[in-house]
């Protein structure tokens, strides 16, 4: 029996492994990187395990969500398939996760790499919403709506885009998919700009600022209040947190200076009215404030974040505030639902699934529900499920699909590709 390789080829991360397993064997950046101290470009796991990622030059095969450099992608896949997975493509089948609405020219390039360069036996192309839906419905109990209704609305906050995609019977309803041209990359770039303008130039520190974003950013439930709190509390405000940059001597990776301090914002209750500075001081004990004063360090290898922590994720919910001609995520979801048959509307609102790395921000689902509620009829329920692991959820769905008994019969074989060509073979995956 041939190996079935499942590859979720994201613009930010490649997740790859053998079908039937719960987790991918390989999760690596989908790019090449060259650290300052290195003369050669590092790839996949080499980049993942590199100690010093300061001012790394980056080359990505993807731009704005689409593959633009097939040769670079082939180089990364070569490393994944042969050095990390140790598989022989000529005796393997590939399940490949592609972006929604991939261009025909890109599809042809991908097919050439799969069949002509690597020589895979057969290929199946899937999209992320249908795989997320498949995985989540396989996990839910028979009496749950997601399992009974056979449809869901998958919100995928990826590296380049955010999609709201209705899925019915494991098929993505393409005419109902709505896109927000914002993803994890845009959030990191915005954070870079804010920090560079206010503190220290970090425009070349992509990997470090990714780490800052993931560790310190959160979603605000009340932006006007939080902005006022951030302004009014000076150095003791509940949102202030310090991040220490790598110095190349004592520590090679950046870190949050005081993790407990970074979580103080959680002590601000939901819906708390604005208070005076004196009242707010009760949130911190005298002991905490004394320790805080001792930790103040004016060296240049660290910087503070305050309102940046919630203004960066706010881009997804209110992009118009940043001058972008885009609807926010809640409106994007409403438009996606309204594109479907009215009978599906109440079921879709009650079966929203969040996937993608940006949904890991604390309070993401809570804020989304709060924004959605005024936009939909009062008699509709809203239920939002965040995947157990939003980064690996698509791959797990692919692993499940590729394990089904009739999977290989649905694939396009190398001989079919050679006989009919890419465009005709691709019709098999249309719906």
């Amino acid at each position: 029996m041939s190996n079935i390789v499942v590859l979720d080829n994201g613009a930010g991360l490649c997740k790859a492994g053998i079908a039937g397993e719960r987790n991918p064997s390989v999760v690596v950046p989908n790019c090449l990187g060259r650290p300052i101290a290195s003369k050669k470009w590092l790839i996949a796991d080499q980049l993942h395990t590199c100690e010093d990622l300061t001012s790394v030059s980056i080359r990505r095969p993807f731009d704005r969500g689409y593959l633009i450099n097939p040769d670079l992608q082939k180089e990364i896949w070569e490393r994944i398939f042969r050095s990390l997975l140790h598989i022989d493509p000529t005796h393997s089948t590939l399940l490949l996760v592609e972006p929604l609405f991939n261009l025909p020219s890109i599809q042809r390039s991908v097919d050439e790499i799969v069949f002509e360069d690597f020589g895979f036996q057969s290929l199946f192309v899937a999209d992320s919403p249908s795989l997320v839906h498949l995985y989540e419905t396989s996990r839910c109990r028979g009496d749950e709506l997601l399992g009974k209704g056979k449809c869901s609305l998958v919100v995928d906050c990826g590296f380049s885009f955010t999609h709201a995609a209705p899925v019915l019977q494991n098929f993505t309803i393409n005419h109902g998919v709505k896109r927000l041209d914002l993803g994890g990359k845009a959030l990191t770039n915005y954070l870079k700009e804010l920090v560079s303008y206010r503190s220290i130039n970090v425009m070349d520190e992509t990997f470090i600022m990714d780490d800052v974003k993931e560790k310190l950013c959160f979603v605000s439930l009340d932006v006007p209040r939080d902005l006022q709190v951030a302004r009014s509390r000076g150095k003791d405000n509940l949102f202030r947190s310090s991040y220490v940059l790598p110095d190349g001597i004592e520590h090679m990776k950046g870190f949050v200076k005081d993790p407990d301090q970074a979580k103080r914002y959680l002590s601000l209750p939901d819906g708390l009215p604005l208070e005076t500075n004196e009242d707010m001081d009760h949130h911190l004990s005298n002991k905490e404030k004394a320790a805080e004063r001792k930790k103040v360090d004016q060296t240049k290898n660290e910087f503070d974040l305050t309102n940046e922590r919630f203004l960066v994720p706010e881009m997804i919910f209110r992009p118009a505030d940043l001058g972008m001609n885009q609807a926010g995520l809640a409106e994007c979801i409403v438009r996606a639902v309204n594109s479907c048959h009215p009978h599906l509307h109440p079921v879709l609102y009650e079966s929203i699934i969040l996937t993608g790395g940006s949904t890991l921000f604390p309070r993401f689902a809570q804020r989304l529900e709060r924004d959605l509620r005024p936009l939909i009829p009062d008699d509709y329920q809203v239920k939002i499920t965040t995947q157990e692991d939003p980064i690996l959820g698509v791959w797990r769905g692919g692993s499940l699909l590729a394990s089904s008994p009739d999977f290989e019969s649905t694939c396009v074989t190398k001989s079919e590709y050679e006989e009919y060509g890419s465009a005709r073979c691709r019709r098999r995956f249309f719906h």
Side-chain angles (χ1 to χ4, degrees), residues 92-104:
S92 305
T93 293
L94 178 65
L95 185 154
L96 177 64
V97 183
E98 275 190 350
L100 287 162
F101 313 125
N102 213 4
L103 300 171

Side-chain angles (χ1 to χ4, degrees), residues 155-157 162-164 180 315-319 326-335 354 359 364 368 371-372 375:
V155 178
D156 184 357
C157 297
T162 295
H163 284 109
L180 182 60
M315 282 180 79
I316 294 177
F317 297 96
R318 296 180 67 89
Q326 298 265 315
L329 182 56
E331 191 175 344
C332 189
I333 288 172
V334 171
R335 289 179 181 179
L354 301 182
T359 63
F364 189 99
L368 179 57
D371 284 4
L372 263 179
L375 301 179

